[in-house]
Amino acid sequence: MSQLRTSQPARHPDPTVKAAGLAYLIFDRPDLARAEQFLTDFGLRVAARQDGALFLRGTGPAPYCYVARKAARPRFVGFGLEVATRDDLRKLAALPGASGIEAMTWPGGGERVRLVDPSGFEVEAVFGRAAAEGLAHRAPLPLNNADRHPRINDTQRPPVAPPEVIRLGHVVIEVADYQATAAWYTRHFGLIPSDVQVLPDGSPAVTFFRLDLGNTPADHHTLAMAQGFAPLYSHSAFEVVDADAVGMGQRVLREKGWCHAWGIGRHILGSQIFDYWQDPFGDKHEHYCDGDLFTSSRPTGIHAVSREAMAQWGQVMPRSFTKPKLTPAMILTIIRNLRRSPDISLSKLITLAKLFG
């Protein structure tokens, strides 16, 4: 049986606050028109253009879930986490390095506190955004199966169009300083490790963190964190209404000429039916449906990591999905982190390269 032999990830008994939701992602993009073309083909909708930034939303009530800012070079900046009260913002504003409470001028308004996690990702704690009016999306298709036949004298004809994204589901990051970064999110935002995939030495390779919403079911993971050798964006995931929407997304994005990354398949941890696509800047975006929901009482699962452990069915995860871009700057970062970070070593680099490189 696999065992976790490090102090993190672990629940914190008294976190600063408990995050209530994943609000939005922030990207810098040198070409907003190109970003918009991919994202609308993907199924997001333009909510606003403001101050050199593009705001996109799903059909749900969030005023936006994706921010693309005009910048000289592409990069993932960070993400917003909703908190439940203004007092939560006050508690977070008292942390070392945090901003004060700031009024937001983005669609929906609200207030935020800006923080930086130990790996350098920007995290905005957000409260008080006004909900937008929800947009209509098609109902899930009624499925005939061997025991139940809800569809008689009727056909299945989902529209040939970008699938309607309903909401932002989760974001996945890679970090070199795994222990410090995991401790920061459990300590300050109350995230719960749902499942941990461990390396042969018992250290975590990937942790799937969910929100602590008590008895209210939460997504299996809102944030996932992988052991890497540099802070990197891995991917983000957006919920669509059913498996036909996932499949129609593949058809539309393929016909539009975008780059496929992995899928269609069903994950083991989280159970989502998934399909991954790369945007014009090489960043992966996932369509998914049918994910697991856990309450806070569900204990953490510990599992051995392997490529085969990523999906129940479908293509085994291709090496291109996790292989890093080894630019000179990235190689220097890896060397620097090998010397500095207590969580990584040459032997772990070799192990991860064999698994995922």
Side-chain angles (χ1 to χ4, degrees):
M1 178 179 294
S2 298
Q3 289 187 316
L4 178 65
R5 294 192 173 90
T6 58
S7 59
Q8 290 290 332
R11 297 188 190 211
H12 193 282
D14 184 26
T16 307
V17 306
K18 293 180 179 179
L22 179 60
Y24 49 82
L25 310 175
I26 308 171
F27 291 86
D28 282 350
R29 295 303 188 217
D31 187 340
L32 291 184
R34 190 71 171 150
E36 178 180 342
Q37 186 62 62
F38 170 81
L39 293 168
T40 53
D41 287 345
F42 185 79
L44 288 162
R45 306 184 190 200
V46 175
R49 293 179 174 84
Q50 180 180 315
D51 301 330
L54 179 67
F55 298 82
L56 298 108
R57 61 171 292 185
T59 63
Y64 56 92
C65 64
Y66 200 108
V67 184
R69 309 185 309 194
K70 179 69 174 176
R73 65 180 182 88
R75 73 178 179 115
F76 173 66
V77 178
F79 51 91
L81 288 171
E82 302 272 6
V83 297
T85 67
R86 193 173 193 277
D87 193 50
D88 285 347
L89 289 185
R90 184 188 59 75
K91 293 174 182 175
L92 291 167
L95 296 178
S99 75
I101 298 176
E102 303 172 343
M104 297 180 72
T105 59
W106 292 352
E111 295 179 304
R112 70 182 171 193
V113 171
R114 292 179 292 109
L115 305 107
V116 179
D117 78 14
S119 290
F121 292 108
E122 296 181 19
V123 178
E124 298 187 351
V126 184
F127 171 71
R129 289 197 304 166
E133 185 175 350
L135 305 175
H137 62 80
R138 75 164 173 80
L141 296 181
L143 301 180
N144 285 340
N145 59 46
D147 300 316
R148 186 168 171 271
H149 309 96
R151 196 180 73 256
I152 305 295
N153 293 329
D154 198 2
T155 60
Q156 295 286 42
R157 299 292 185 271
V160 181
E164 296 157 312
V165 166
I166 296 171
R167 67 184 179 100
L168 170 64
H170 62 257
V171 62
V172 182
I173 55 176
E174 298 179 21
V175 301
D177 298 319
Y178 199 101
Q179 292 295 304
T181 308
W184 191 84
Y185 283 101
T186 56
R187 171 69 180 89
H188 296 308
F189 287 97
L191 298 187
I192 298 173
S194 294
D195 284 293
V196 187
Q197 292 179 309
V198 297
L199 294 163
D201 66 0
S203 64
V206 183
T207 301
F208 300 89
F209 291 101
R210 69 184 184 274
L211 304 173
D212 182 354
L213 303 182
N215 291 326
T216 300
D219 289 335
H220 173 268
H221 55 283
T222 290
L223 172 69
M225 189 181 303
Q227 175 69 69
F229 284 76
L232 294 170
Y233 166 86
S234 171
H235 71 267
S236 51
F238 299 82
E239 188 172 23
V240 295
V241 70
D242 58 19
D244 280 270
V246 176
M248 188 58 72
Q250 181 167 117
R251 172 179 170 175
V252 171
L253 289 164
R254 196 178 295 282
E255 290 178 351
K256 294 284 187 180
W258 299 113
C259 183
H260 190 233
W262 180 29
I264 298 174
R266 185 184 279 277
H267 283 305
I268 295 175
L269 302 178
S271 300
Q272 302 96 335
I273 292 177
F274 64 83
D275 194 34
Y276 293 89
W277 289 83
Q278 288 188 4
D279 74 2
F281 314 98
D283 288 328
K284 295 185 288 293
H285 295 61
E286 175 189 4
H287 284 140
Y288 80 91
C289 69
D290 195 23
D292 291 336
L293 299 172
F294 291 172
T295 68
S296 63
S297 64
R298 170 92 177 193
T300 299
I302 308 295
H303 319 269
V305 69
S306 72
R307 303 183 73 78
E308 294 73 21
M310 300 300 176
Q312 300 181 44
W313 52 259
Q315 178 192 16
V316 174
M317 186 172 69
R319 290 193 177 275
S320 58
F321 191 80
T322 50
K323 191 173 183 178
K325 296 176 183 175
L326 291 179
T327 63
M330 178 57 68
I331 292 171
L332 287 174
T333 299
I334 291 173
I335 293 172
R336 184 167 55 248
N337 285 337
L338 269 169
R339 293 173 173 170
R340 181 194 57 78
S341 174
D343 298 331
I344 57 178
S345 62
L346 186 58
S347 63
K348 188 172 286 188
L349 174 63
I350 294 170
T351 299
L352 289 169
K354 288 180 178 178
L355 281 168
F356 300 114

